[in-house]
Amino acid sequence: MNEPVSLPALSCADDYDPNSMPVDKAREVIGRFLSPLTATERVHVRAALGRVLAADVISPLDVPAHDNSAMDGYAVRHADLKADGEVTLTTVGTAFAGAPYAGTLDAGEAVRIMTGGVVPAGADTIVMQEHVKASDKRVTIGGGHRKGQNLRHAGEDLKTGEPALKRGRRLRSADVGLIASLGIPEIDVYRKLRVAFFSTGDELVSIGTVPKEGQIYDSNRYTIYAMLERLGCEVLDMGVVRDDPALLEQAFMRAAGAADVVITSGGVSVGEADFVKELLNKLGQVVFWKIAMKPGRPLAYGRVGEAHFFGLPGNPVSVMVTFYQFVRYALLTLSGETPVEPTPTFTVPCTSALKKAPGRTEFQRGILTRDDAGRWSVRVTGEQGSGILRSMSEANCFIILPTDQGNVTPGTLVQVQVM
Ligand code: AMP
Ligand code: MG
C-alpha cells in the first residue's frame, strides 16, 4: 500500500480560489501528493510489454559480442592494400554469420565474409563485394579504402555492465526485444496499479438492464474501464452506487481498502456535492474544485483512507477530459513510470470557427486530417455539449484553447493534443 500522505489543509494552505482553479495549478497540486508504488514482481520477458521496470536492466554482455562485418565482402589487412592501384590477395576461407573463420589472417590473405560474420583475427577492414574482382581463390581490390571501414566493433551499442534500460521505463515492443537480445529471461517490474471505480447516480443502469422511464445507461464506467486498461492498470469495477450516503460510504470504504486509487464519476456537481463532501471528509481528506476549464469543471481530489481519490464529473465528455488532463498523469506517476512524458501537443491551422470565452481553458474535440499536399489541419467535431459522448468518439484530438483566448476565426493556428 501507499504511504499515508496528509494533505495539510489543502483547501486553504494555498493562495487560490477553489471555485476557479486554473488547470495548471490543479495539476501542480495533485503532483505534490503522488507517492509511486514500490512493490515489485518478477515477470517473464514475454509478459513485460507495458510494465514498468523496477530496476535498471544491466547488460551482461557486449553488444555486439564480437567485431563483425556490416557488409557482404572481404575481410582484409588494410596494410596489404594500396592507396591507389590494385592488389590481388589469396582467399583463404569464409566467415559467415554463425560460422567464423578459425585462423588468423596473414599478409596477402583475405577471407570471404558475410554481414554479421565475425571479423577474423588479423583483419581490420572490410571491402564490399561490389568493389572487388573475385575468382575462386583470388580477390583483386583497388585503392581508396579506409582502415576499419564497414566494421561494427564489439561493445559499440552497449558494453558489459552498462544499463540497457532504466528503472521507471514503461516497456515497449522494442524494449522486449532488447531485453531478449541480452539473453535475460525475467525482469523486475512494479506490480500493477490497482484502481477501483464506480459510478454514482440514481438514474443509472448498467448494460443488460432495461432502463425504466428517466433512467439512462451508465457509460462512464465503461469509458473509465477502457482508459484504465490502456494505461495497464489492474481494474476493480464496483458498478453503480445509488445517491445514498450509507451505500456510498460502504462503496468508498470497500474501494479504498482494495485499491491504490479510487475513481468515481458523478455526484460532485453543485447540489450533489454537499453530502458527498461531508462523507469524504469523514473518510479522508478531499478538496472540491471548480476548475477553470470547459468541459470538466467540478473535480474532487484527495485521499480516501490511504487510497488516492479522483471524483470526476458526471457528464460523459467531462469524465474523459478530466481523465486525460489530470488522472492519466497521476496514474502513470503512481505506477512508477519516470519520467512521465506529457501527451505531445503541436500547432496546426483550425479550419472551423470556434466560440470561446476568455477566462478558462477549453478542450474542444477536434478531427485532425491531412490534405492531398500532406498539410495537417484540424476541424471541430459538431456540437460540443459535455453530455455528447459521440463528440469524443469522432474526435482524434483535443483542440486546447488557453485561458485568455477568445473566439477563433478559420485559419488561426491552434494547439492540438492527439488522444
Ligand atoms: P452529476 O455530475 O452526477 O450531476 O451528473 C451530470 C450529468 O451526467 C447528468 O446528466 C447525469 O445523468 C450524467 N451522468 C452521470 N453519471 C453518468 C454515467 N455514469 N454515465 C452516463 N451519464 C452519466
Ligand atoms: Mg449524479
Side-chain angles (χ1 to χ4, degrees):
M1 268 303 128
N2 291 297
E3 291 284 303
V5 166
S6 73
L7 312 180
L10 191 54
S11 38
C12 48
D14 278 286
D15 147 36
Y16 65 81
D17 176 6
N19 289 316
S20 180
M21 183 71 164
V23 171
D24 289 344
K25 181 69 185 172
R27 280 196 188 120
E28 192 257 301
V29 173
I30 292 170
R32 272 192 243 158
F33 298 99
L34 301 174
S35 43
L37 284 180
T38 52
T40 66
E41 62 193 31
R42 185 157 285 193
V43 296
H44 191 269
V45 64
R46 266 193 204 282
L49 184 67
R51 301 303 298 271
V52 179
L53 278 180
D56 292 355
V57 172
I58 303 294
S59 181
L61 37 88
D62 283 343
V63 181
H66 308 278
D67 288 1
N68 70 86
S69 178
M71 297 283 178
D72 292 347
Y74 289 82
V76 301
R77 298 154 51 109
H78 190 261
D80 286 349
L81 304 181
K82 288 187 182 152
D84 41 29
E86 294 186 337
V87 291
T88 296
L89 306 175
T90 308
T91 307
V92 294
T94 60
F96 295 154
Y101 177 69
T104 299
L105 228 64
D106 283 325
E109 293 181 348
V111 160
R112 173 87 174 115
I113 194 164
M114 303 306 269
T115 304
V118 175
V119 176
D124 57 15
T125 299
I126 309 295
V127 180
M128 274 170 79
Q129 63 189 15
E130 289 79 359
H131 295 166
V132 307
K133 283 174 278 183
S135 64
D136 193 18
K137 284 274 177 273
R138 303 225 171 287
V139 59
T140 301
I141 301 173
H145 296 285
R146 186 176 49 79
K147 186 174 177 178
Q149 72 183 18
N150 303 327
L151 206 144
R152 298 188 288 222
H153 290 283
E156 184 176 282
D157 293 346
L158 207 53
K159 291 195 176 40
T160 306
E162 267 180 8
L165 293 165
K166 296 278 204 178
R167 187 183 71 81
R169 170 131 180 133
R170 192 175 291 272
L171 297 171
R172 303 182 304 158
S173 307
D175 303 328
V176 172
L178 179 60
I179 293 166
S181 78
L182 303 177
I184 297 174
E186 290 182 323
I187 48 159
D188 292 324
V189 296
Y190 293 115
R191 75 158 167 77
K192 289 187 178 183
L193 191 70
R194 290 188 197 113
V195 184
F197 58 100
F198 55 89
S199 297
T200 69
D202 288 337
E203 74 281 26
L204 304 175
V205 296
S206 300
I207 47 178
T209 306
V210 181
K212 298 200 188 79
E213 199 181 330
Q215 291 187 317
I216 57 167
Y217 285 115
D218 172 8
S219 59
N220 291 344
R221 237 167 76 231
Y222 300 87
T223 314
I224 290 172
Y225 170 85
M227 293 189 292
L228 291 172
E229 281 279 303
R230 264 183 80 175
L231 296 185
C233 298
E234 193 178 307
V235 296
L236 183 61
D237 179 352
M238 296 182 50
V240 174
V241 179
R242 307 266 147 250
D243 293 316
D244 168 315
L247 293 177
L248 280 168
E249 176 163 357
Q250 266 178 33
F252 275 118
M253 301 271 281
R254 205 159 72 76
D260 305 299
V261 181
V262 178
I263 299 177
T264 62
S265 79
V268 291
S269 52
V270 181
E272 287 192 306
D274 291 347
F275 79 89
V276 181
K277 229 179 231 178
E278 229 169 85
L279 176 60
L280 286 172
N281 284 324
K282 185 171 109 186
L283 302 178
Q285 283 180 288
V286 176
V287 287
F288 287 75
W289 288 327
K290 290 194 187 71
I291 312 269
M293 68 187 274
K294 187 184 171 185
R297 230 158 94 77
L299 181 74
Y301 168 69
R303 293 273 182 150
V304 176
E306 288 182 18
H308 296 266
F309 167 66
F310 291 91
L312 307 185
N315 275 311
V317 177
S318 309
V319 165
M320 294 198 76
V321 174
T322 47
F323 188 95
Y324 278 117
Q325 300 303 327
F326 301 106
V327 183
R328 176 187 173 277
Y329 175 86
L331 297 184
L332 296 179
T333 303
L334 292 171
S335 307
E337 188 174 328
T338 178
V340 176
E341 301 296 351
T343 311
T345 57
F346 50 101
T347 301
V348 294
C350 181
T351 56
S352 320
L354 306 179
K355 280 186 71 178
K356 162 75 169 66
R360 63 190 177 202
T361 311
E362 283 200 19
F363 298 89
Q364 301 208 5
R365 275 73 72 205
I367 302 173
L368 198 56
T369 50
R370 209 174 54 157
D371 67 15
D372 292 342
R375 285 175 303 234
W376 289 90
S377 65
V378 69
R379 67 176 193 278
V380 77
T381 61
E383 286 295 317
Q384 295 290 302
S386 59
I388 306 173
L389 190 52
R390 205 160 57 86
S391 75
M392 276 299 295
S393 171
E394 282 173 4
N396 58 11
C397 67
F398 288 117
I399 303 171
I400 304 179
L401 303 174
T403 313
D404 298 337
Q405 172 89 51
N407 290 337
V408 170
T409 51
T412 307
L413 290 176
V414 294
Q415 197 185 30
V416 294
Q417 182 177 51
V418 176
M419 293 180 200

